[in-house]
Amino acid sequence: MTTPTISASGLSLGYRGGLALDDVSLRLDRGVTGLLGPNGAGKTTLLRILATAMPPDRGALTILGQDPSTVHGRVQARRLLGYLPQQPGFHPGFTAFEFVDYVAILKELTDRRARHAEVRRVLDAVGLAEQRGKRIRALSGGMRQRVALAAALVGDPGFLVLDEPTVGLDPEQRMRFRELIAEAGENRTVLLSTHQTEDVAMLCHRVVVLDRGRVRFDGTPAELVARAESRVWSGAERDPGALVGWRTGTGEFRNLGEPPAGARLVEPTLEDGYLLVLGGRPEVAA
């Protein structure tokens, strides 16, 4: 058996009198894994722990063979991973090149010539070669996200942690970003946290659903879709017996749950499976 990129066992973290994470165990290998969950599920907490930005209260973790609970292991792990947080914290006065160069310095790329070559490489990889001299405040939202991804790619990390990278992007920008993430996942391990089930359906070979600090599902997108098989039906009105239902663009209602006799079943989607894993809670479907 090959050693996984990430091995996490029993990760728990207390937060405001409760548990932000409750006994989470994961093994991640090469490819893109999608992390789904409603607001407050613990996704960002989990990603911050995996990116060594914070330690868990309990549990064991190895990242590319390194133990981040030790100072040496944490330093080594940070050299081997790339992290795109939900709010990258740009200095708006920096140019794209200066921001990525700053991150490269933090990752201990000390040789100036080699470091600048690396900065040019990652900016070119995300399609920003011609914008590298522009100040971040002058870039569009999509371009800023690409700058943040370029920073995460510095040093060719074996593990890439992406927290809501497509949020706020228009459809064209989202498609471009999906291409970049798919390319990144061809030769490394990528963990992508998102609210967009479309992103997971189009990018990920595996999906993990986190809710209230616990893993509720871990499998392939097809297996998540299968959770909703024969549990989605269409009708002229919302079925009062459905866990959740909503009016679609056709004017009919899409209902999820246990269908009544004679219901007109429809093909399930990944979103249907996701909602059913979470019990069809209205706040999740909203």
Side-chain angles (χ1 to χ4, degrees), residues 10-183:
L11 297 181
S12 297
L13 183 73
Y15 180 68
R16 293 182 180 175
L19 286 173
L21 287 183
D22 184 7
D23 195 30
V24 170
S25 297
L26 284 175
R27 288 168 65 92
L28 300 177
D29 291 298
R30 190 170 65 176
V32 183
T33 296
L35 181 64
L36 287 173
N39 290 329
K43 300 190 305 299
T44 293
T45 298
L46 176 60
L47 265 59
R48 292 189 68 197
I49 289 173
L50 297 183
T52 74
M54 64 190 300
D57 292 334
R58 297 187 303 277
L61 174 64
T62 59
I63 300 171
L64 292 162
Q66 303 298 323
D67 178 2
S69 67
T70 69
V71 173
H72 174 76
R74 189 160 54 250
V75 170
Q76 289 298 107
R78 288 173 178 172
R79 289 171 177 163
L80 299 170
L81 66 85
Y83 179 35
L84 194 166
Q86 196 168 8
Q87 296 178 328
F90 296 114
H91 190 297
F94 277 11
T95 65
F97 186 96
E98 288 168 341
F99 177 79
V100 178
D101 188 47
Y102 174 68
V103 172
I105 292 171
L106 293 179
K107 295 192 82 167
E108 301 180 329
L109 277 67
T110 55
D111 182 273
R112 187 173 183 272
R113 185 187 296 269
R115 187 179 72 246
H116 284 187
E118 174 66 0
V119 172
R120 287 190 292 270
R121 181 189 72 81
V122 294
L123 286 170
D124 183 61
V126 301
L128 289 178
E130 296 183 2
Q131 288 79 27
R132 65 190 185 201
K134 288 188 177 180
R135 299 201 181 277
I136 288 174
R137 61 170 169 253
L139 298 177
S140 68
M143 286 185 178
R144 291 184 187 189
Q145 285 295 80
R146 281 193 265 166
V147 171
L149 180 59
L153 289 171
V154 165
D156 195 23
F159 178 43
L160 198 56
V161 182
L162 307 177
D163 194 356
E164 299 284 355
T166 63
V167 68
L169 303 186
D170 63 36
E172 183 179 354
Q173 292 170 336
R174 188 174 295 126
M175 287 303 299
R176 172 60 178 154
F177 219 80
R178 285 173 182 162
E179 290 178 354
L180 296 171
I181 295 169
E183 291 171 7

Side-chain angles (χ1 to χ4, degrees), residues 257-282:
E258 296 303 326
R264 190 167 74 253
L265 298 179
V266 297
E267 285 293 317
T269 66
L270 188 139
E271 184 176 40
D272 295 329
Y274 166 62
L275 291 174
L276 287 171
V277 164
L278 299 181
R281 300 204 307 276

